[in-house]
């Protein structure tokens, strides 16, 4: 069987490696992939936004199954487009992808089905939004409605910070904005709950907690994610039941009232307050770096899961997990998430002696003339699974010390809540 993966990050390299481990797969293509995927797959230089050329390549090369990694092509409707040509695709359609594409779409479903989430108001202009601040408590959360790649969310401690956020969003900092959200600030601990769906049924795809801020102590700017660990320290059977019954099932009911269902990974971003889950956001894909963190614990052939989802047979698949702990530390280029240099050589990667439960997944890397270069803000992911988070981290730090890449940095405190 031939499989195609759309995307070029650490998540896609981890997906590519898991698919490679399946004995059913003869060939993998990545659109466009990175230096890591080029070692195990064929990278195809077609932009994930160029649906037509991707479709032509899939048909010409008789690719059997397509996995879509990132949200942008999903929200833009790549699944609907490829399915028109009878191509098998794992991922949600354009309408279901509104769960990530529009925070207001999701909030409306929450309102209708009483899904626990922060109290919120939707505002169409600066004046109404600012007037609402008169009766508001601080901190408060202000969000742009459109896809803003993790940006577009402001936690405001004062009224003047809130006014700046409102002005920036309506002035188009994150693209054209017709509406914005003002939300109650939820004080708890975040966790991510993943599920995999075939349109008819869904199964848990494990849990993780990530570190979104760039500096140690969870301080500084928001990033795509500086590291993660799996499983979450917060998960228990009672909490899992609440997440499924109070949040995920009613959301699927909401989608069915819009005349659609859900196929693909669903990432439920939660705030846990006294063992009660509150929905913060949905993402219609795996998390990055959560995917790199979770997949090494998977003990079921991932291609069986993808195929079952495309054939509405997920019910027949038993998804098994290792009980070991997984930790991931992301190596970034100096300057990230602001300006950083590109095309800096990474010299020592091949000298790292990876042990059986250690993994390195590439993100922003490119190979040129046999040399490895960084081309993105998040560059490499170092993962290890072990009997304890502390041991996993020790293994990672050993590998990071061998890398010794002076042009990059990483957070040394990933997992501090689970490592004493
Ligand atoms: P989002 O893009 O909606 O996930 O928001 C980005 C980050 O902002 C989240 O991961 C949280 O850390 C934080 N956040 C968003 N909404 C809230 C809220 N209502 N209360 C507290 N923190 C929030
Ligand atoms: N790590 C957060 C995300 O993938 O959105």
């Amino acid at each position: 069987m031939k499989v195609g993966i759309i995307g070029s990050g650490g998540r896609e390299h981890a997906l590519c490696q898991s698919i490679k481990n399946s004995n059913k797969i003869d060939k993998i293509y990545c659109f466009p992939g990175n230096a890591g995927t080029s070692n195990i797959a064929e990278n195809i230089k077609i932009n994930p936004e160029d649906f037509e050329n991707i479709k032509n390549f899939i048909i010409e090369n008789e690719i059997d199954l397509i996995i879509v990694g990132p949200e942008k092509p999903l929200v833009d409707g790549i699944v609907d487009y490829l399915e028109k040509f009878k191509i098998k695709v794992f991922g949600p359609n354009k309408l279901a992808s509104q769960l990530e594409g529009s925070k207001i779409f999701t909030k409306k479903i929450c309102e209708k089905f009483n899904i626990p989430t922060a109290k919120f108001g939707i505002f169409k202009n600066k004046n109404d939004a600012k007037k609402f601040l008169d009766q508001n408590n601080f901190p408060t959360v202000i969000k742009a409605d459109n896809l803003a790649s993790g940006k577009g969310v402001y936690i405001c401690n004062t009224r003047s910070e809130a006014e700046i956020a409102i002005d920036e969003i309506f002035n188009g900092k994150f693209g054209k904005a017709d509406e914005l959200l003002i939300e109650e600030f939820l004080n708890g601990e975040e966790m991510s709950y993943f599920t995999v769906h075939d349109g008819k049924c869904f199964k848990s795809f494990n849990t993780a907690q990530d570190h979104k801020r760039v500096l140690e102590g969870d301080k500084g700017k928001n990033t795509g994610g500086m590291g993660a660990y799996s499983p979450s320290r917060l998960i228990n059977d009672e909490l899992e039941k609440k997440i499924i019954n109070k949040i995920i099932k009613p959301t699927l009911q909401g989608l069915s009232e819009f005349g659609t269902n859900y196929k693909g990974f669903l990432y439920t971003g939660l705030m846990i307050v006294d063992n009660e889950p509150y929905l913060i956001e949905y993402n219609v894909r795996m998390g990055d770096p959560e995917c790199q963190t979770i997949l090494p614990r998977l003990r079921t052939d991932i291609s069986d899961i993808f195929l079952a989802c495309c054939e509405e047979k997920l019910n027949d698949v038993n998804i098994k997990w290792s009980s070991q702990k997984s930790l991931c530390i992301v190596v970034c280029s100096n300057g990230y998430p602001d300006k950083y240099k590109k095309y800096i050589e990474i010299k020592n990667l091949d000298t790292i002696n990876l042990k059986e439960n250690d993994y390195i997944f590439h993100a922003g890397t490119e190979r040129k003339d046999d040399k490895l270069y960084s081309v993105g803000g998040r560059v490499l992911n170092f993962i290890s699974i072990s009997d304890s988070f502390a041991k996993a981290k020790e293994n990672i730090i050993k590998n990071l010390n061998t890398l010794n890449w002076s042009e990059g940095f990483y957070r040394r405190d990933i997992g501090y809540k689970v490592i004493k």
Side-chain angles (χ1 to χ4, degrees), residues 68-329:
V68 188
E71 65 278 13
K72 177 89 175 36
L74 292 166
V75 172
D76 290 343
I78 193 166
V79 171
D80 314 56
Y81 178 81
L82 294 179
E83 283 182 343
K84 272 198 293 193
F85 298 92
K86 307 263 178 275
I87 294 167
K88 237 180 229 172
V89 202
F90 176 83
N93 64 30
K94 185 172 184 173
L95 179 54
S97 297
Q98 286 298 296
L99 287 178
E100 178 165 359
S102 164
K103 294 185 191 291
I104 291 173
F105 176 86
T106 302
K107 282 290 194 189
K108 285 184 175 160
I109 293 182
C110 289
E111 203 165 35
K112 181 155 185 204
F113 291 91
N114 258 323
I115 294 172
T117 186
K119 291 191 196 78
F120 66 99
I122 298 169
F123 300 91
K124 290 187 188 307
N125 61 61
K126 287 184 190 176
N127 274 348
D128 290 350
K130 288 182 187 175
K131 219 185 277 162
F132 177 79
L133 297 176
D134 294 338
Q135 53 186 65
N136 208 41
N137 296 324
F138 290 92
T140 194
V141 185
I142 302 190
K143 298 182 176 182
D145 185 40
N146 34 359
L147 266 193
S149 310
K151 297 171 191 127
V153 175
Y154 295 76
I155 313 279
C156 307
N157 289 309
T158 62
R159 185 183 175 114
S160 69
E161 281 175 25
E163 291 198 358
I164 291 170
I166 292 168
D167 285 336
E168 287 190 350
I169 292 172
F170 276 125
N171 290 346
K173 185 164 180 187
F174 308 99
K176 189 173 175 295
D178 295 324
E179 294 176 312
L180 61 67
L181 271 168
I182 302 185
E183 249 183 48
E184 166 199 20
F185 178 79
L186 293 172
N187 202 355
E189 189 169 327
E190 281 180 75
M191 74 166 255
S192 307
Y193 186 82
F194 297 90
T195 43
V196 60
H197 300 242
D198 73 356
K200 283 205 315 212
C201 90
F202 68 92
K203 296 206 165 172
S204 165
F205 207 71
N206 230 294
T207 59
Q209 286 183 252
D210 76 338
H211 293 268
K212 288 203 173 78
R213 305 288 199 94
V214 70
L215 300 178
E216 287 172 14
D218 293 323
K219 299 207 165 66
K221 291 193 173 167
N222 249 326
T223 70
M226 299 295 295
Y229 51 95
S230 170
S232 157
R233 69 169 188 154
L234 300 170
I235 195 68
N236 55 64
D237 289 348
E238 188 191 339
L239 178 62
E240 183 161 23
K241 276 194 194 114
K242 286 178 191 164
I243 295 167
I244 289 173
N245 292 322
K246 294 184 174 187
I247 297 179
I248 297 177
K249 284 188 175 167
T251 301
L252 297 175
Q253 172 76 28
L255 287 182
S256 78
E257 291 192 5
F258 279 101
T260 193
N261 58 17
Y262 198 91
K263 178 184 57 174
F265 287 124
L266 181 63
Y267 165 159
T268 306
L270 299 158
M271 190 69 84
I272 310 299
V273 186
D274 300 329
N275 213 38
E276 285 298 325
Y278 291 82
L279 177 69
I280 294 184
E281 60 160 355
Y282 277 122
N283 295 309
V284 294
R285 50 174 172 81
M286 274 308 281
D288 183 338
E290 292 90 331
C291 186
Q292 299 88 299
T293 316
I294 288 176
L295 284 184
R297 298 184 53 224
L298 180 64
R299 291 291 171 266
T300 301
D301 185 332
I302 202 167
S303 64
D304 288 341
I305 300 174
F306 290 142
L307 277 176
C309 285
C310 293
E311 290 164 2
E312 296 188 341
K313 287 182 181 157
L314 183 61
N315 216 7
D316 302 338
V317 181
N318 183 13
I319 305 182
K320 293 195 198 118
W321 298 96
S322 149
S323 60
Q324 284 180 305
K325 317 287 187 202
S326 178
L327 194 102
C328 168
I329 298 181

